[in-house]
Amino acid sequence: MVDENEIVWLVKKDAVADMIKNGKRSDGRKAYEYRPIEIITDYVKRAEGSAYIKLGNTQILVGVKMDVGQPYSDSPNMGTLITNAELVPLASPVFQPGPPNENAIELARVVDRGIRESKMIDFEKLCITEGEEVWNVLIDIHVLDFDGNLIDAATLAAVKALWTAKMPRYEDGKVIYEDKKDSLPVSKKPVACTFARFGNVSILDPSLEEEKSMDGKITITTTDDGKICAVQKSGITKISVPELENLIDVALEKGNEIRKTYLG
Amino acid sequence: MKRFVIPGEKLEGRPNAHYYREGNNYYSQVFGILEKKDNFLKIVPLKGKYMPHKGDYVIGIVIDVKYGGVIVDINSSHFAFLPTKNSLNYKDIVSAEVIDIDEVRNATLGNERKLFGGEIIEINPVRIPRVIGKNNSMLKLLKDKTGCSFFVGRNGRIWIKGKNSPILADAIFKIEREAHTSGLTERIEKYLDEMLKG
Amino acid sequence: MGMKKEGLKLFENGKRIDGRAYDELRPIKMEVGVLKRADGSCYLEWGGNKVLAAVYGPRECLPRHTQDPLKARINYRYNMAPFSTDERVRPGPSRRSIEISKLSKEALEHVIFTEYFPKTSIDIFVEILQADAGTRCAGLTAASLALADAGIPMKSLITACAAGKIDGKVVLDLGKLEDNFGEADLPIAYMPRTKELVYLQMDGDLTKDEFKEALRLALKGCDEIYRIQRDALKKAYEGEVNGR
């Protein structure tokens, strides 16, 4: 199906791909270079934590809310995490109102996996009464302007929001949102690095133009201790084992740079 | 010599069809049988949808009536269009020739004949050549023995009519099942003789 | 992944909880052409997984506005039967199954010659009848065979397998307990001839060296499974070549 709003990308596709295979990007970036990043924390005062991020022209607002609920039966002494993403119709002519489609679901799940598997949140410390009451952490990703690479931007903003969030007080079975003081029990700083694939060429942080022309992409999420906590291949691409190992090296290095500069 | 090939399997040379090329090597696109006769390689797929070719005779069922013609289901990935002034209706059975295919595989039919009564049986389209046989040998055998009138479409559909049509249908299904075995014509002849005697 | 259970040892004295060695697959069985109505089909058992895959098409893609004028549209539906797990699975697509379906579809779309069938759809249905960890790999492996059985032209079969980490040890093909209480899971699918990956996911925590080792093990598992796939295809049509 060709969306008429997308037809212009279809026409440009081959030219963009050819250029990248020849080692050039239309905005002059190097293969493994991020667009400028700008983050504003505490953007929404009502939320327990929030971060606005601008990555190139991609704009995302991430909010962290908390409430109290029952734990899952297989982990009675742990708090829970739910990550949701919404591709708000104002962000792109192709985003439609309605329940999340497979792209929104994949975005939410990749961000969730990076945060969850990095073990940055100590879920045991979010237990109030074992088997009965625990804190739920709810991350909502609101895409405001879609210019490519939502995963990296959303992960960075979500991690920043979790680090700056303040927990409400819980008293006599009530959550008191007016009184927020304690930080969340967080330790690590996972960073997602997404590479767009053009044939056998990989570039970091694809813009929308690049995403519309790529075969697919690979996201690698790493943590401060030099570990890999999540990987996802998406789209109609393939990758050789040596190239994958190369991308892991790049993701570990770039992850550290991002951590130092934006999550310091 | 015959052997199986599976998608992506490297071939010793360039076959008649159903292959792709990478560098100087040829690979099979399908799951099928590779027949090798004096350096000539032929891939026969074991299954697959019917793909219309110009000149094929097919059996179609009318599914929609449009201005200037009818839309016909020809047991393929696409419906076909049959421009005609004859009055054809929904559910009519026709035999027709594929007279044109456009670049997106839409087929146009012609030389149609409406088939009255009888029934349609469907078999795997890749087995149709065996139902026809070398120089129509199998076709002739089936016709002579059963006395049925029938019409074999390249698209895996066979229209049959006549007193012995149940036996004919069984024989055709037997051909489909045993399409790649040798000595098939003799076995079918024996089978028909036995069935028609009882 | 990552649940805790006190005292549970997943890897002890060189053996895993179900007695397997670190690089050993669970038993795998495949049968091709098991459904009469489907254009292609496959039944697969892998450890405690029981999976059915069916392929319909290429067929006219309806409704019309979903047609692609240049190629076939691939639909892949991964679905867990409600009774496939201890706790009943709520019928209908979940976020998990939507993600798996999307990634599996993309893996297959890479090998199918979709440009041969413009404006059509090729519909792949994968039903998990009984689940025992590794269902996405089992489903994709079965789906690839069902496509070959349907006579769909493809660049290659694809083969899927996972490796993971339990008690700090990198092992092949996680079982259910290992999946629940292990530390990492890396499901992949590859094209057997070129060994390039077309499906790739990972969650948990692995160092770079562990990741490489897991990748190596998963590829080794894929090699073994590919042989089973090939044999299953040939077995289904053996009579047709050699005579009965």
Side-chain angles (χ1 to χ4, degrees):
Chain A
M1 179 174 53
V2 181
D3 193 305
E4 51 212 60
N5 291 309
E6 302 273 83
I7 197 85
V8 59
W9 300 112
L10 210 65
V11 175
K12 284 166 91 171
K13 188 178 160 134
D14 290 344
V16 173
D18 281 348
M19 189 158 101
I20 284 164
K21 284 176 190 164
N22 287 324
K24 286 205 186 88
R25 299 177 76 165
S26 62
D27 52 10
R29 277 188 290 159
K30 292 204 255 325
Y32 301 143
E33 188 180 343
Y34 270 105
R35 289 168 286 176
I37 298 174
E38 193 189 319
I39 303 176
I40 304 168
T41 53
D42 272 329
Y43 193 88
V44 178
K45 306 293 175 207
R46 294 273 178 229
E48 276 66 87
S50 64
Y52 161 91
I53 186 165
K54 192 158 185 258
L55 167 63
N57 289 317
T58 287
Q59 300 180 62
I60 300 178
L61 184 55
V62 172
V64 172
K65 290 293 296 173
M66 296 185 73
D67 63 17
V68 172
Q70 277 192 340
Y72 293 116
S73 58
D74 56 9
S75 51
N77 61 337
M78 290 191 198
T80 67
L81 170 69
I82 294 170
T83 309
N84 182 55
E86 217 168 314
L87 305 178
V88 188
L90 69 79
S92 159
V94 298
F95 292 171
Q96 301 288 339
N101 66 3
E102 60 179 23
N103 295 317
I105 289 171
E106 186 183 19
L107 167 64
R109 286 182 64 87
V110 175
V111 174
D112 183 279
R113 207 170 291 137
I115 289 167
R116 190 182 302 270
E117 300 297 339
S118 71
K119 313 241 171 6
M120 72 172 285
I121 303 173
D122 187 343
F123 287 108
E124 283 180 20
K125 289 205 177 122
L126 292 177
C127 177
I128 300 165
T129 327
E130 184 166 334
E132 284 171 25
E133 285 177 323
V134 297
W135 284 104
N136 302 323
V137 180
L138 306 133
I139 300 176
D140 281 289
I141 300 161
H142 234 56
V143 178
L144 304 177
D145 200 355
F146 174 38
D147 195 34
N149 198 9
L150 297 178
I151 293 177
D152 294 5
T155 303
L156 185 51
V159 170
K160 192 80 186 171
L162 285 169
W163 270 88
T164 52
K166 294 276 182 266
M167 289 175 67
R169 212 147 50 81
Y170 185 61
E171 236 177 52
D172 307 325
K174 264 199 192 138
V175 182
I176 301 163
Y177 288 105
E178 294 76 23
D179 186 8
K180 289 183 251 193
K181 204 172 71 208
D182 296 338
S183 298
L184 255 75
V186 288
S187 56
K188 288 178 192 158
K189 293 161 181 162
V191 174
C193 289
T194 296
F195 301 89
R197 301 271 300 153
F198 296 80
N200 291 321
V201 177
S202 312
I203 53 160
L204 183 66
D205 179 32
S207 65
L208 182 63
E209 177 183 89
E210 289 165 340
E211 281 194 6
K212 291 293 175 191
S213 317
M214 70 184 177
D215 304 327
K217 57 186 179 179
I218 287 167
T219 301
I220 300 167
T221 310
T222 59
T223 55
D224 341 26
D225 44 7
K227 284 185 172 169
I228 304 138
C229 63
V231 178
Q232 178 118 323
K233 193 219 94 173
S234 172
I236 304 158
T237 178
K238 59 175 182 180
I239 187 164
S240 68
V241 171
E243 175 62 0
L244 177 58
E245 288 173 357
N246 168 46
L247 293 188
I248 283 176
D249 284 335
V250 177
L252 284 165
E253 189 196 315
K254 287 287 158 185
N256 278 335
E257 279 176 27
I258 295 279
R259 252 184 295 277
K260 215 181 281 166
T261 320
Y262 301 101
L263 297 169
Chain B
M1 200 214 61
K2 284 180 181 179
R3 69 174 169 91
F4 281 112
V5 283
I6 53 181
E9 190 170 326
K10 195 176 158 190
L11 307 166
E12 44 269 53
R14 191 170 69 123
N16 61 329
H18 307 291
Y19 69 89
Y20 69 96
R21 189 179 169 164
E22 242 176 62
N24 290 323
N25 295 318
Y26 299 94
Y27 303 92
S28 178
Q29 284 182 352
V30 293
F31 172 48
I33 289 168
L34 182 76
E35 297 177 2
K36 196 175 177 183
K37 246 182 219 160
D38 336 304
N39 279 339
F40 182 73
L41 293 179
K42 186 178 172 197
I43 292 181
V44 183
L46 279 157
K47 266 206 183 161
K49 272 266 150 81
Y50 167 68
M51 287 295 138
H53 291 279
K54 230 175 176 164
D56 285 358
Y57 268 90
V58 296
I59 300 220
I61 303 169
V62 175
I63 56 162
D64 202 359
V65 181
K66 297 268 183 208
Y67 181 76
V70 291
I71 308 285
V72 181
D73 178 318
I74 54 164
N75 195 29
S76 179
S77 52
H78 299 79
F79 301 137
F81 184 66
L82 169 61
T84 179
K85 289 201 175 72
N86 292 337
S87 116
L88 286 170
N89 283 316
Y90 180 62
K91 288 205 291 191
D92 280 350
I93 299 170
V94 291
S95 72
E97 186 186 346
V98 178
I99 55 170
D100 193 30
I101 319 252
D102 72 4
E103 62 277 12
V104 288
R105 296 208 176 224
N106 288 318
T108 307
L109 306 177
N111 293 331
E112 78 279 12
R113 221 182 83 199
K114 190 171 163 181
L115 301 171
F116 295 92
E119 59 177 314
I120 289 184
I121 58 173
E122 278 187 357
I123 67 167
N124 187 342
V126 303
R127 305 294 156 80
I128 287 291
R130 290 300 266 158
V131 176
I132 295 167
K134 258 196 201 110
N135 303 322
N136 294 340
S137 56
M138 188 70 89
L139 214 61
K140 200 164 165 311
L141 175 75
L142 294 169
K143 213 158 223 163
D144 291 349
K145 293 276 177 197
T146 63
C148 291
S149 49
F150 65 105
F151 191 99
V152 180
R154 277 276 158 183
N155 57 341
R157 284 195 184 134
I158 302 165
W159 175 84
I160 60 181
K161 190 176 179 181
K163 183 166 73 83
N164 289 325
S165 59
I167 294 172
L168 175 61
D170 281 349
I172 290 169
F173 288 134
K174 191 173 162 69
I175 296 169
E176 183 193 18
R177 276 196 308 275
E178 303 175 15
H180 294 277
T181 59
S182 47
L184 185 61
T185 318
E186 293 76 46
R187 268 207 313 290
I188 294 297
E189 183 165 8
K190 225 175 114 198
Y191 175 80
L192 284 172
D193 284 342
E194 256 167 52
M195 296 304 288
L196 290 161
K197 209 168 46 190
Chain C
M1 202 59 30
M3 283 198 278
K4 283 181 187 165
K5 197 168 202 180
E6 300 308 324
L8 178 75
K9 277 267 187 284
L10 292 170
F11 196 82
E12 211 171 19
N13 304 326
K15 282 264 187 299
R16 291 152 75 172
I17 200 151
D18 55 4
R20 281 187 290 158
Y22 77 101
D23 61 348
E24 198 178 334
L25 288 168
R26 292 172 287 178
I28 299 177
K29 224 169 64 182
M30 303 174 201
E31 199 182 329
V32 169
V34 293
L35 302 177
K36 182 157 186 341
R37 291 304 312 276
D39 293 321
S41 59
C42 175
Y43 173 73
L44 178 146
E45 282 184 16
W46 182 334
N49 291 312
K50 294 185 176 175
V51 176
L52 259 181
V55 169
Y56 287 86
R59 56 185 178 185
E60 196 99 355
C61 183
L62 299 170
R64 221 160 249 278
H65 73 268
T66 60
Q67 293 180 348
D68 188 318
L70 300 176
K71 58 186 174 65
R73 181 188 160 95
I74 310 291
N75 296 311
Y76 188 104
R77 179 178 183 264
Y78 163 100
N79 186 52
M80 290 182 96
F83 44 75
S84 61
T85 57
D86 291 337
E87 211 166 303
R88 179 171 184 265
V89 182
R90 219 162 56 144
S94 65
R95 290 161 68 90
R96 174 178 172 277
S97 72
I98 290 170
E99 185 191 35
I100 292 174
S101 299
K102 175 180 184 285
L103 301 184
S104 304
K105 170 186 74 185
E106 291 168 344
L108 288 168
E109 206 166 334
H110 187 75
V111 294
I112 297 173
F113 285 96
T114 50
E115 63 273 25
Y116 290 1
F117 309 105
K119 305 203 289 184
T120 66
S121 70
I122 297 172
D123 303 311
I124 305 159
F125 301 105
V126 171
E127 285 291 315
I128 310 297
L129 306 176
Q130 183 176 298
D132 184 33
T135 54
R136 73 192 69 189
C137 291
L140 196 48
T141 300
S144 148
L145 279 193
L147 281 165
D149 181 39
I152 309 275
M154 294 190 280
K155 260 185 237 146
S156 167
L157 286 183
I158 66 173
T159 310
C161 184
K165 187 166 83 165
I166 50 167
D167 289 349
K169 171 90 182 157
V170 176
V171 299
L172 179 64
D173 183 24
L174 299 187
K176 186 146 190 298
L177 276 176
E178 295 172 332
D179 191 37
N180 288 350
F181 302 109
E183 294 116 59
D185 189 18
L186 170 74
I188 64 160
Y190 82 159
M191 299 187 284
R193 180 164 54 82
T194 61
K195 309 249 183 281
E196 289 162 312
L197 310 181
V198 289
Y199 190 104
L200 172 64
Q201 262 188 312
M202 178 253 157
D203 61 333
D205 109 74
L206 293 175
T207 64
K208 197 181 139 197
D209 287 339
E210 286 169 339
F211 189 93
K212 280 187 176 177
E213 169 67 3
L215 211 50
R216 190 189 67 81
L217 272 184
L219 286 168
K220 176 181 164 293
C222 283
D223 284 341
E224 270 180 60
I225 295 160
Y226 176 53
R227 277 198 290 277
I228 305 173
Q229 278 180 305
R230 245 175 9 191
D231 292 346
L233 266 181
K234 291 179 182 174
K235 196 166 162 248
Y237 292 89
E238 215 161 33
E240 312 220 352
V241 177
N242 305 325
R244 285 181 245 230

